[in-house]
Amino acid sequence: MGVVVAALAAGCAVAAVFLSGGAIRPDRPDLEVALVAAALVLAALLTFGKSQGARISALVLAAGATGWAVYGLSTDLGSGAPGVSTAVLVVAAVVALVATGLPRPVRWWLAVPLVVMLAAGTVTAVTVVPGLAVRSMTAAAIAAPALADRVTSAPWTWTSPAKVLDVVAAGAGVTVAGAGGVVTALDGPTGAVRWTYARPGAHVRALVPTPDRLLLLAVYAPGGGADRHHHLTVLDAFTGEPVQETPIENVRSADLLAPASAVLPTLTHLGDNNFRVDALDLRGGNRLWSWNAPEGCVSPFALPASGRDVVLAPMLCQDRLSVLGLDERTGTPRWEHRLPVTRPSDEKADFFLRSAPGGGTVSLTLRYSGLATGANTDVVLDAATGTILSTMDPRAPKRITVGPVAVSERDESGKITAATLDGGVAVDLAACPDRRAHATTPTAYLRLCASPGGGMVVHRQELDGSASSTLPIAWPPPTETTGSLLTGRARHALIPAPGALVAARGGDAPVVGFPSR
């Protein structure tokens, strides 16, 4: 019976080779897991031998395989993004070690418990072990406060236990990504911690909300692992409960994540500057649909972009240059912004696609030498219908979408010389000579400004021309030089969030929130 148990354990080890290794072991089969499984198979074969040397060799092989499997499992758990392959391997190795170490012949009443241990341990490894890498606290679902516009002058502050990497508006307030794999949700009106989700040992690479702010996409890079694959966790923004988890290709920045409310679009290169758009169902985890450019056309590369419930797809054909709004549920084109092409060119077509916070509007900037006319190359569209809301002169200042009101800026040698808000309101540049972050609300243009004395204030310029106002922020002086926040190139963020206007700085400064009136 001992040889039968050893054989079953070896079979279980072979099965582990083909199980998911998580982001830390993206390859199947993984070389280390395969070598340990091979050692257990050899140990099982040696148990059939009659000699004392064969039995000792089997025991030595099983012991070595067990030690290496335990080491691999501990490393995987420490990475913060483990799979199940090493956990199943440990169960198989332990059972094989016991089976090879028992005196011959092995009685059935000793073999049966080992078989039960193998089966129960395998089920436990598959269902329980991945969760051992997670530390979390959930919250009850509540109604979301309205996005902050007019706020009080009495802020709340929250100091993160880890260095702040990013802050985004989601759920009932804001969510903070911290060093050490920690994600913390704060209540907008009070600043109280609502829930936490952490993968100790892993690193947060991106934290992106869906346009409706109901879900959060947290991308983790495994600590100590190859940087080719990451782990995507989709969280309920109100409760912190994981909705689904899946391995994902390397996410170098948050720009590569542009979810609609229900799907995450990804690009697959088909060759000859043609890309396929695939849509991952954020709640189900399956690929919901794929879209290819029709025959005779290609879909060139552009950073992924989405509206509230559409996915944007660029397309170049012999007779037109287009951007399609694909329905997030079906992938069928809902609208097309089409520019005529009169002389196809070998030059590259450039697509710059951006969506406003909330996904209600999208801005397109299209460049191609073969266009019949320069009209409608720079436009803002309604994301749901594709209707042109406004056009821009390509020679005019750059347009920045930081909220419901867009900002057009003209700069010379990197210095802003003029700025205008939608509706023709001129920006008072002198009121904020050192801008660190900015945003718009339906009634105001907000800027986070550094004062000459080293302090920070939030400057509010009213869109109706009434008197402006400022709110001071009591941040300590920076103690270190840190990089930009994950969702941008700046170190600071100013976020109109549900229930509060929130200001954040990368590093160890507190997050500050001014509650809505």
Side-chain angles (χ1 to χ4, degrees), residues 402-405 407 437-441 444-448 494-496 501:
V402 287
V405 179
V407 185
H438 59 155
T440 62
T441 71
Y445 178 42
L446 308 170
R447 286 173 287 177
L448 182 61
L494 186 63
I495 307 161
L501 173 65

Side-chain angles (χ1 to χ4, degrees), residues 203-221:
H203 312 289
V204 182
R205 278 299 175 86
L207 184 67
V208 179
T210 53
D212 56 14
R213 296 182 295 277
L214 299 181
L215 298 175
L216 275 166
L217 280 65
V219 177
Y220 287 91

Side-chain angles (χ1 to χ4, degrees), residues 52 74 83 86 180 184 240 314 316 366 400 460:
Q52 186 71 12
S74 64
T86 51
T184 306
L316 175 62
L366 311 179
I400 305 169
R460 178 186 175 94

Side-chain angles (χ1 to χ4, degrees), residues 53-82:
R55 293 179 180 179
I56 293 175
S57 297
L59 184 61
V60 170
L61 276 173
T66 301
W68 194 259
V70 171
Y71 170 76
L73 176 59
S74 64
T75 300
D76 288 7
L77 289 173
S79 75

Side-chain angles (χ1 to χ4, degrees), residues 276-515:
R276 183 182 73 229
V277 181
D278 300 312
L280 174 72
D281 186 348
L282 290 176
R283 293 189 180 273
N286 57 303
R287 190 168 72 178
L288 203 58
W289 51 262
S290 294
W291 175 86
N292 295 67
E295 187 70 28
C297 303
V298 296
S299 181
F301 175 79
L303 286 175
S306 301
R308 188 177 182 91
D309 60 355
V310 296
V311 174
L312 304 186
M315 187 169 70
L316 175 62
C317 306
Q318 291 291 318
D319 62 339
R320 68 189 188 275
L321 182 76
S322 301
V323 173
L324 305 176
L326 307 177
D327 185 276
E328 68 168 353
R329 287 292 182 185
T330 64
T332 56
R334 186 186 293 177
W335 52 260
E336 180 179 2
H337 180 72
R338 177 184 301 201
L339 303 180
V341 170
T342 55
R343 47 184 184 86
S345 170
D346 291 334
E347 294 184 17
K348 179 175 176 284
D350 291 320
F351 297 81
F352 301 95
L353 318 175
R354 301 289 293 181
S355 60
T361 61
V362 294
S363 62
L364 314 178
T365 297
L366 311 179
R367 297 289 182 266
Y368 185 55
S369 60
L371 291 176
T373 174
N376 293 334
T377 58
D378 297 70
V379 295
V380 176
L381 308 179
D382 183 289
T385 64
T387 304
I388 297 178
L389 301 178
S390 62
T391 61
M392 298 165 283
D393 186 337
R395 299 165 296 178
K398 62 182 179 181
R399 184 185 182 93
I400 305 169
T401 305
V402 287
V405 179
V407 185
S408 294
E409 295 183 343
R410 185 183 300 278
D411 64 77
E412 296 177 4
S413 301
K415 182 178 181 180
I416 300 173
T417 57
T420 307
L421 304 172
D422 268 1
V425 178
V427 174
D428 182 2
L429 296 178
C432 184
D434 188 0
R435 185 188 73 193
R436 302 299 176 88
H438 59 155
T440 62
T441 71
T443 64
Y445 178 42
L446 308 170
R447 286 173 287 177
L448 182 61
C449 312
S451 60
M456 287 274 185
V457 298
V458 176
H459 183 272
R460 178 186 175 94
Q461 179 177 343
E462 303 291 345
L463 300 184
D464 61 6
S466 56
S468 61
S469 59
T470 59
L471 295 169
I473 297 179
W475 273 335
T479 58
E480 60 180 41
T481 301
T482 60
S484 63
L485 297 173
L486 297 175
T487 50
R489 297 181 180 180
R491 189 186 173 192
H492 300 81
L494 186 63
I495 307 161
L501 173 65
V502 177
R505 185 179 77 191
D508 56 1
V511 178
V512 178
F514 296 90

Side-chain angles (χ1 to χ4, degrees), residues 46-130:
L46 288 172
T47 58
F48 286 91
K50 302 294 186 181
S51 68
Q52 186 71 12
R55 293 179 180 179
I56 293 175
S57 297
L59 184 61
V60 170
L61 276 173
T66 301
W68 194 259
V70 171
Y71 170 76
L73 176 59
S74 64
T75 300
D76 288 7
L77 289 173
S79 75
V84 299
S85 60
T86 51
V88 173
L89 195 65
V90 166
V91 174
V94 169
V95 172
L97 177 62
V98 174
T100 56
L102 291 175
R104 301 292 185 270
V106 177
R107 303 296 182 183
W108 69 267
W109 47 270
L110 286 176
V112 170
L114 289 179
V115 174
V116 173
M117 181 191 302
L118 181 65
T122 300
V123 172
T124 303
V126 171
T127 57
V128 174
V129 168

